[in-house]
Amino acid sequence: MASEKYEEYQSIQRKTDEEYRNASGSLGITGGVMMIIWSMSAFERPCTQKEVCDDWCENKQTINSAAKKLENEGIIEMIPSKENFREKLMVFTEKGSAFAEKTAGKLVKAEKAAFDRFTEEEQKEILRLGRKHYELLKEEFDKIKGETK
């Protein structure tokens, strides 16, 4: 029985991932570009490449390549961070703001709308269970890491 529930859980995860891939593909944007535009749209502020990497658990090269592409296309500008002179913030240009609204901004709005369809109690519960799942998964993965040392 537990195995069936786990299989269903994994199936839901894969289907959710597939929906994101299909939606971003239908908007004509690649994964790295989508991650940057999504993060800046969802956070409603400029972001560093490190923030995007951390948020999506993505490698630096993927995000750096996507950022260069967006900068070359005039979608974002790179400006020095006031908090850390070694980091640069990705900021939408006027063209970039319009691009975001037509692409990943739509995904952010759809995601927020879907979440808002949960009752307040359901929202609290999904957050509680998500945090708990993360902590339990981290504990199990830490055991594996301990075995390999």
Side-chain angles (χ1 to χ4, degrees):
M1 190 67 151
S3 178
E4 288 176 17
K5 289 178 184 168
Y6 175 73
E7 287 177 24
E8 182 179 1
Y9 172 76
Q10 286 300 311
S11 177
I12 291 167
Q13 293 293 99
R14 285 189 299 277
K15 287 176 183 176
T16 301
D17 290 347
E18 183 68 16
E19 288 300 321
Y20 277 98
R21 276 191 300 278
N22 289 341
S24 62
S26 73
L27 295 169
I29 55 177
T30 63
V33 167
M34 193 275 295
M35 291 174 205
I36 291 171
I37 302 296
W38 189 97
S39 294
M40 292 172 66
S41 297
F43 300 158
E44 297 179 350
R45 63 173 172 77
C47 296
T48 65
Q49 289 183 33
K50 183 180 181 333
E51 287 177 302
V52 176
C53 290
D54 292 349
D55 189 47
W56 289 91
C57 301
E58 187 58 70
N59 67 58
K60 292 177 187 177
Q61 185 56 46
T62 298
I63 299 305
N64 184 263
S65 295
K68 285 181 181 180
K69 178 182 186 317
L70 290 170
E71 187 176 29
N72 290 338
E73 292 176 1
I75 304 294
I76 63 169
E77 292 178 323
M78 304 295 275
I79 62 167
S81 169
K82 292 177 182 159
E83 288 83 39
N84 183 344
F85 69 92
R86 287 187 232 148
E87 291 185 330
K88 291 189 176 183
L89 291 169
M90 296 178 288
V91 179
F92 284 130
T93 61
E94 190 173 317
K95 176 182 175 182
S97 293
F99 179 76
E101 282 296 313
K102 293 187 299 188
T103 58
K106 287 183 176 182
L107 301 180
V108 171
K109 286 179 184 172
E111 190 173 61
K112 287 179 179 180
F115 189 79
D116 286 344
R117 291 173 66 184
F118 286 115
T119 65
E120 187 170 340
E121 294 78 26
E122 289 171 330
Q123 289 176 359
K124 288 177 184 176
E125 186 67 2
I126 201 166
L127 292 172
R128 183 187 72 76
L129 289 172
R131 283 189 297 271
K132 183 175 182 177
H133 181 248
Y134 167 76
E135 290 300 325
L136 294 172
L137 188 62
K138 186 176 181 317
E139 285 176 19
E140 294 299 322
F141 285 173
D142 285 347
K143 288 178 191 176
I144 294 168
K145 291 176 196 172
E147 291 172 2
T148 60
K149 289 183 180 179

